């Protein structure tokens, strides 16, 4: 039998067709069956949920042979298959093509010859991470031309920013999802929506450069986790690389790489008496970089522990706030409030110990009260009151004494919230 050697998808389909109407490929005595997905059970609202094992039936697909399409959106419930892999979930969309393999099913304990269909991940028809649907008939003129060109070996490049393919109830095709550009040795996992994991390395002098290879040597490891890609100006079928500043959310685990990240705040005034950490854009040692519109760290049972060998730098363009239900404790040989810039003893001064000051003022108030009594009753050696000086000072000393005593009694100089140790 002569094989069809035409390039492109049409050649592959003709080759499979020449193997027989069942579109099966023999592999070591077993056969793989190429089928088109017509329906899939994803939740308990599916009409087939109960009949196919309740929650154990999640992921079950109903299919049609590629060469024997079922009219419109119907499906035969006798043609079903379950996922082959148990720990990695990659459920197909409607109209994607999968391979089925027959393997033992749950009845093997009573009959060793009992088998069932299991399906592999969708075939990479369009070399697209977004979807690889191939309907039996596109149905609309633009899509017909689109798919016919692809069948002749061309890259599918939809230009009308729309899709009439039935991919499911909630899946909406997006025409701005770019694949990731690979480099030699990369292991890449891509979701359908611009979310990805790259297990890669430094690639110096690459034909197409990236943001993480300006330092280090080829082969230095880097791991990039990204959710939501940059709005690229290139066509959506053109592969792109991660962009630390414009991807929606990302985590970089680096070894020797330098990242061109733009910090939201560059304030380092608190480092007037010590060396600030190296600029994030210049650091090229192992680190973990998290970047997103907002970061939330929440310890629902215990504590958040931030530790560093040198310093911990908190910086913000507006404010840094700390709230606690009981107290906030700062412990250090010296604590600077407001600023650490300047000369101690002049524009940087020590905080007053409130209780000690309160006690001292109390003693002064008591002493002035005693002076007031002495001034008011003072006489000379002839028992004549000394009015000219002492009696004049008496009212002033009394007033000052009363003011100080009011401060002491009311503890008006003592803060209920800020405490300073000796």
């Amino acid at each position: 039998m002569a094989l069809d050697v035409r390039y492109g998808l049409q050649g592959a389909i003709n080759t499979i067709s020449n193997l027989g109407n069942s579109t099966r490929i023999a592999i070591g005595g077993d056969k793989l069956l190429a089928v088109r997905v017509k329906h899939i059970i994803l939740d308990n609202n599916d009409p087939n949920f109960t009949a196919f094992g309740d929650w154990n039936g999640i992921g079950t697909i109903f299919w049609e042979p590629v060469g024997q399409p079922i009219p419109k959106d119907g499906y035969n419930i006798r043609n079903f298959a379950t996922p082959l892999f148990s720990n990695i979930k990659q459920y197909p969309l409607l109209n994607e093509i999968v391979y089925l393999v027959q393997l033992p099913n749950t009845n093997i304990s009573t009959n060793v010859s009992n088998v069932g269909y299991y399906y592999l991940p969708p075939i990479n028809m369009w070399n697209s991470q977004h979807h690889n649907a191939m309907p039996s008939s596109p149905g609309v003129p633009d899509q017909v031309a689109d798919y016919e060109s692809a069948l002749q070996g061309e890259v599918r490049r939809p230009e009308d920013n729309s899709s009439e393919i039935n991919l499911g109830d909630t899946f909406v095709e997006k025409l701005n999802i770019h694949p990731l550009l690979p480099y030699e040795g990369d292991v890449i996992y891509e979701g359908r929506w611009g979310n990805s994991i790259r297990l890669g390395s430094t690639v110096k002098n690459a034909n197409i450069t990236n943001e993480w290879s300006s330092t280090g040597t080829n082969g230095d490891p880097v791991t990039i986790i990204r959710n939501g890609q940059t709005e690229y100006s290139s066509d959506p079928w053109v592969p792109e690389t991660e962009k630390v500043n414009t991807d929606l959310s990302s985590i970089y685990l680096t070894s020797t790489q330098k990242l061109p990240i733009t910090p939201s705040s560059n304030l380092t005034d608190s480092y007037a008496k010590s060396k600030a950490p190296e600029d994030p854009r210049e650091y090229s040692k192992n680190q973990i970089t998290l970047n997103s519109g907002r970061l939330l760290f929440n310890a629902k049972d215990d504590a958040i522990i931030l530790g560093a060998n040198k310093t911990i730098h908190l910086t913000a363009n507006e404010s840094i706030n700390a709230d606690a239900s009981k107290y906030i404790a700062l412990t250090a040989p010296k604590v600077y409030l407001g600023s650490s810039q300047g000369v101690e003893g002049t524009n940087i001064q020590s905080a007053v110990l409130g209780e000690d000051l309160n006690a001292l003022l109390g003693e002064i108030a008591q002493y002035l009260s005693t002076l007031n009594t002495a001034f008011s009753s003072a006489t000379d050696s002839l028992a004549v009151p000394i009015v000219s000086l002492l009696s004049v000072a008496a009212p002033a000393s009394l007033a000052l004494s009363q003011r100080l005593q009011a401060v002491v009694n009311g503890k008006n100089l003592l803060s209920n919230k800020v405490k300073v140790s000796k």
Side-chain angles (χ1 to χ4, degrees), residues 61-100:
I61 65 168
F62 302 91
W63 49 268
E64 66 179 15
V66 171
Q68 302 172 11
I70 297 175
K72 296 183 179 180
D73 293 327
Y75 58 90
N76 187 344
I77 63 171
R78 295 182 180 179
N79 293 344
F80 68 93
T82 54
L84 178 61
F85 302 120
S86 59
N87 299 106
I88 300 176
K89 314 295 185 183
Q90 187 178 351
Y91 297 133
L93 297 171
L94 301 190
N95 285 305
E96 288 190 316
I97 308 297
V98 300
Y99 270 127
L100 304 185

Side-chain angles (χ1 to χ4, degrees), residues 118-375:
Y118 299 86
Y119 65 87
L120 295 165
I123 298 174
N124 193 16
M125 303 286 284
W126 308 118
N127 197 23
S128 168
Q129 81 287 357
H130 189 47
H131 84 79
N132 285 281
M134 182 65 188
S136 56
S137 177
V140 294
D142 289 343
Q143 292 294 342
V144 169
D146 181 19
Y147 282 90
E148 284 181 350
S149 65
L151 285 170
Q152 301 305 321
E154 299 177 15
V155 178
R156 179 171 177 251
R157 296 176 177 177
E159 302 284 0
D160 59 353
N161 293 321
S162 64
S163 174
E164 292 80 12
I165 307 171
N166 181 15
L167 300 171
D169 294 331
T170 63
F171 189 97
V172 177
E173 182 179 11
K174 291 188 176 182
L175 300 182
N176 61 344
I177 304 297
H178 292 254
L180 275 183
L181 179 73
Y183 295 96
E184 293 179 3
D186 281 355
V187 177
I188 298 176
Y189 300 91
E190 290 189 76
R192 297 182 186 265
W193 306 106
N195 36 12
S196 59
I197 301 176
R198 182 195 295 269
L199 307 177
S201 67
T202 294
V203 187
K204 301 182 74 69
N205 303 318
N207 292 327
I208 301 178
T209 60
N210 56 58
E211 291 188 343
W212 61 86
S213 296
S214 62
T215 58
T217 58
N218 286 352
D220 291 343
V222 64
T223 299
I224 304 173
I225 303 173
R226 178 196 62 172
N227 185 67
Q229 63 183 208
T230 296
E231 292 291 334
Y232 302 103
S233 59
S234 59
D235 292 319
W237 53 84
V238 177
E240 296 284 354
T241 62
E242 297 89 339
K243 308 295 183 185
V244 66
N245 289 308
T246 51
D247 289 337
L248 296 186
S249 299
S250 55
I251 302 175
Y252 285 71
L253 290 80
T254 61
S255 56
T256 62
Q257 293 80 15
K258 183 190 298 184
L259 299 177
I261 187 169
T262 301
S264 296
S265 173
N266 292 300
L267 298 175
T268 57
D269 295 342
S270 61
Y271 285 94
K273 295 187 177 300
S274 60
K275 183 180 179 180
E278 187 174 355
D279 190 310
R281 293 160 292 193
E282 298 300 324
Y283 193 80
S284 60
K285 298 179 182 179
N286 52 301
Q287 68 174 341
I288 298 176
T289 300
L290 295 87
N291 194 39
S292 186
R294 172 170 164 167
L295 298 179
L296 171 64
F297 297 90
N298 181 61
K300 63 179 183 179
D301 294 322
D302 203 89
I304 293 177
I305 302 173
L306 297 177
N309 185 47
K310 294 183 178 179
T311 70
I312 294 176
H313 185 201
L314 301 178
T315 177
N317 287 326
E318 294 188 6
S319 66
I320 293 176
N321 303 77
D323 299 290
S325 299
K326 293 184 178 180
Y327 61 85
I328 296 174
L330 297 175
T331 303
K334 285 188 178 181
V335 178
Y336 293 94
L337 300 178
S339 175
S340 61
Q341 297 181 358
V343 180
E344 295 192 22
T346 55
N347 54 341
I348 298 180
Q349 298 190 16
S350 301
V352 174
L353 300 178
E355 278 78 9
D356 290 353
L357 176 60
N358 206 60
L360 177 61
L361 293 177
E363 294 176 7
I364 295 175
Q366 183 61 41
Y367 179 70
L368 290 176
S369 178
T370 302
L371 286 179
N372 172 63
T373 301
F375 290 165

